[in-house]
């Protein structure tokens, strides 16, 4: 009889009615999952409890190429043609000319970097490891016409290679050049943040093999993860912040010349 | 009066026909949607939810240092006081998941110091200044690094 009860019934009726009308079949059953906040998860891994990020310390990178070799071995990336899920660039900046650095990456750094500069040439040189930035607002995800690339509930940008058409829109959309078309499958491939490893409690292959700890996988939803202290205690930056991609690859010691 | 009845009847038939066409359209749409939209699509977003599982499924190649430490406690001990303590075993020894899953079947290969050490320690102006670097030719004159330095604890 009371007004509140009537309101509640009406609200309930409208909600149920809208659900029934708007959602059909698969979508209706999925709605309950979405409302409950239970993302796709392996029995031991709840994706919604993680928010993965990468910390890259340029001050520590020695350009050994260990990450590039490990990544190719772990993820079955073709050795030739020269495609990479992660690679290392060598920057050479003359004086104050930040706008025109010399950048080279011989075979992505797979075989290391032969010395081509001189210590007293008045320039500075350093290595920059590159990889998929696992953007929160990924241009690649936005352009995919079929939903074959997406951001998982734990922040990792993944490729659905069974559903990818190989149309290459995402390859062009990525501002960081992190994607390639695998010539064996004609579908797109890129860093998956070693999703098959991090969901088992392991770190990525590149982090596992980096001898100086220049790369550290971090979980931003784990308050005890050292990545919080690192970001707090260092002046970190992401690549191309002006593009507002929401990159989750945080660089320490990033020079203004780095593109 | 009878003309009006006829008119109403005709209008009703129009409406029924239209409703039939609409119903057939809706059935066709729902049917096509069920046929064409893959399993789990849209459950968490504009993608196939099972694709998350597909990405999880791949086998690993690098076992991780904790797996190595289970058997090789002596190496863990040897590296303890060394600058090399933080380096993952597989950074030098390569991917060893096959070895850790069945040590008898797949053996780890000892890396060659003459090729391995310079990958990190050969002088290079792009390397950070704090990192220990040598000019290999001047430093050892071609002598293998591990004739003086123990790789797990290289300090002399």
């Amino acid at each position: 009889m009371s007004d509140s009860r009537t309101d509640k019934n009406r609200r309930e009726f409208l909600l149920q009615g809208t659900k029934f009308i708007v959602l059909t079949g698969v979508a209706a059953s999925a709605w309950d999952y979405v409302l409950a906040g239970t993302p796709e998860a392996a029995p031991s891994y709840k994706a919604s409890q993680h928010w993965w990020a990468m910390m890259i310390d340029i001050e520590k990178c020695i350009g050994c190429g260990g990450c590039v070799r490990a990544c190719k071995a772990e993820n079955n990336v073709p050795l030739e043609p020269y495609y990479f899920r992660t690679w290392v660039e060598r920057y050479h900046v003359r004086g104050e000319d930040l706008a025109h650095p010399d950048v080279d990456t011989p075979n992505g750094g797979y075989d290391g970097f032969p010395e081509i500069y001189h210590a007293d040439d008045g320039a500075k040189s350093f290595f920059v490891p590159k990889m998929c930035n696992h953007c929160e607002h990924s241009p690649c995800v936005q352009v995919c016409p079929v939903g074959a690339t997406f951001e998982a509930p734990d922040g990792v940008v993944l490729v659905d290679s069974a559903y990818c058409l190989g149309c290459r829109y995402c390859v062009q959309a990525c501002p960081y050049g992190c994607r390639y078309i695998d010539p064996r499958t004609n579908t797109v491939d890129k860093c998956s943040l070693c999703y098959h490893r991090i969901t088992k409690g392991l770190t990525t292959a590149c982090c596992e093999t980096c001898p100086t700890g220049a790369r550290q996988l971090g979980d931003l939803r784990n308050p005890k993860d050292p990545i919080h202290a690192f970001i707090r205690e260092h002046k970190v930056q992401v690549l191309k912040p002006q593009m507002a991609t929401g990159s989750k690859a945080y660089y320490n010691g990033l020079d203004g010349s780095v593109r | 009066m009878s003309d009006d009845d006829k008119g109403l009847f005709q209008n009703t038939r129009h409406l029924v026909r239209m409703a039939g066409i609409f119903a057939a359209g809706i059935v066709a749409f729902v049917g096509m949607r069920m046929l064409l939209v893959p399993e789990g699509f849209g459950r968490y977003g504009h993608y196939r939810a099972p694709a998350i599982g597909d990405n999880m499924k791949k086998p690993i190649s690098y076992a991780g240092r904790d797996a190595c430490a289970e058997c090789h406690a002596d190496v863990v001990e040897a590296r303890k006081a060394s600058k090399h303590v933080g380096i993952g075993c597989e950074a030098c020894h390569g991917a060893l998941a096959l070895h850790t899953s069945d040590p008898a079947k797949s053996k780890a290969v000892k890396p060659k110091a003459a090729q391995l050490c310079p990958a990190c320690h050969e002088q290079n102006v792009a390397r950070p200044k704090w990192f220990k670097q040598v000019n290999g030719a001047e430093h050892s004159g071609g002598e293998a690094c591990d004739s003086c330095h123990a790789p797990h604890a290289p300090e002399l």
Side-chain angles (χ1 to χ4, degrees):
Chain A
M1 278 297 259
S2 73
D3 286 338
S4 67
R5 200 176 122 198
T6 320
D7 277 359
K8 198 184 166 196
N9 283 345
R10 197 169 65 173
R11 204 181 304 133
E12 196 81 350
F13 171 76
L14 285 173
L15 195 69
Q16 292 299 332
T18 314
K19 253 171 80 172
F20 184 75
I21 292 162
V22 174
L23 305 164
T24 55
V26 175
S29 66
W31 186 243
D32 293 325
Y33 286 98
V34 175
L35 283 181
T38 47
E40 182 80 17
S44 57
Y45 179 79
K46 292 269 175 285
S48 59
Q49 292 171 2
H50 304 274
W51 193 249
W52 297 107
M54 187 65 91
M55 186 282 291
I56 297 172
D57 194 345
I58 290 172
E59 316 273 2
K60 284 186 179 171
C61 181
I62 58 170
C64 65
C67 50
V68 185
R69 294 188 289 276
C71 176
K72 285 213 175 196
E74 178 73 35
N75 295 299
N76 192 22
V77 178
L79 290 177
E80 289 179 23
Y82 302 110
Y83 296 135
F84 305 92
R85 282 182 169 209
T86 186
W87 68 99
V88 181
E89 292 172 357
R90 170 165 55 186
Y91 274 72
H92 183 72
V93 186
R94 274 167 267 100
E96 298 76 37
D97 193 8
L98 294 184
H100 304 96
D102 293 327
V103 187
D104 75 324
T105 171
N107 194 9
Y110 188 91
D111 308 308
F113 289 84
E115 183 71 287
I116 56 171
Y117 300 121
H118 298 288
D120 48 3
D121 61 359
K124 67 176 169 187
S125 303
F126 52 90
F127 297 110
V128 183
K130 294 270 186 87
M131 57 180 283
C132 171
N133 291 243
H134 294 281
C135 307
E136 196 175 349
H137 313 293
S138 309
C140 59
V141 171
Q142 289 167 36
V143 299
C144 181
V146 297
T149 188
F150 57 93
E151 189 181 37
D154 46 13
V156 181
V157 177
L158 294 173
V159 171
D160 181 354
S161 51
Y163 209 49
C164 173
L165 301 167
C167 74
R168 294 157 167 80
Y169 281 152
C170 57
V171 178
Q172 296 186 52
C174 176
Y176 306 108
C178 297
R179 289 170 165 262
Y180 67 95
I181 298 288
D182 191 324
R184 296 165 301 190
T185 59
N186 267 318
T187 57
V188 79
D189 193 48
K190 66 156 200 87
C191 164
S192 62
L193 210 64
C194 281
Y195 203 67
H196 58 300
R197 297 176 60 84
I198 63 175
T199 52
K200 292 185 183 86
L202 294 164
T203 188
T204 64
C206 57
C207 290
E208 179 61 40
T209 56
C210 179
T212 62
R215 291 165 173 261
Q216 298 280 338
L217 177 74
D219 181 0
L220 296 174
R221 269 192 197 141
N222 175 6
K224 289 185 186 138
D225 197 293
I227 194 171
H228 297 293
F230 188 89
I231 291 175
R232 197 168 57 237
E233 289 160 12
H234 295 79
K235 279 71 182 174
V236 296
Q237 178 60 291
V238 297
L239 293 174
K240 300 188 181 176
Q242 74 276 15
M243 300 201 76
T245 55
S247 162
K248 294 197 284 292
Y250 297 95
Y251 283 83
N252 177 45
L254 190 70
D255 192 75
S257 61
V258 178
R259 300 285 172 266
Chain B
M1 201 63 177
S2 64
D3 280 0
D4 281 356
D5 278 348
K6 204 180 169 189
L8 185 67
F9 179 65
Q10 276 186 342
N11 286 347
T12 312
R13 267 180 59 184
H14 274 301
L15 289 173
V16 168
R17 211 178 287 155
M18 286 307 288
I21 290 168
F22 267 98
I26 289 166
V27 167
F29 172 80
V30 172
M32 293 289 275
R33 198 180 179 285
M34 283 171 80
L35 276 175
L36 297 176
V37 176
E39 167 75 29
F41 197 95
R43 186 172 298 161
Y44 303 118
H46 188 70
Y47 59 90
R48 260 181 359 109
I52 296 177
D54 293 350
N55 273 281
M56 285 181 184
K57 261 188 276 178
K58 284 189 294 178
I60 60 164
S61 305
Y62 286 80
R65 58 196 82 182
D66 295 343
C68 308
E70 278 176 28
C71 297
H72 300 282
D74 53 325
V75 181
V76 175
E77 194 59 37
R79 300 197 322 158
K80 229 171 204 170
S82 153
K83 277 188 178 169
H84 278 184
V85 66
I87 305 176
C89 311
E90 289 157 310
C92 300
H93 294 279
L96 289 173
L98 287 176
H99 173 66
T100 55
S101 62
D102 189 355
K105 219 175 194 177
S106 168
K107 291 279 178 207
V109 180
K110 190 184 173 189
K112 291 219 165 33
Q115 281 120 53
L116 180 73
C117 305
C120 292
H121 290 289
E122 186 65 38
Q123 215 160 54
N124 193 313
V125 293
R127 289 200 165 125
K129 300 287 169 284
W130 62 265
F131 186 73
K132 187 81 180 165
Q133 300 160 58
V134 294
N135 182 329
E138 281 175 19
H139 180 76
S140 67
E143 183 85 13
C145 313
D146 55 350
S147 56
C148 297
H149 301 276
H152 289 141
E155 291 86 353
L156 293 177

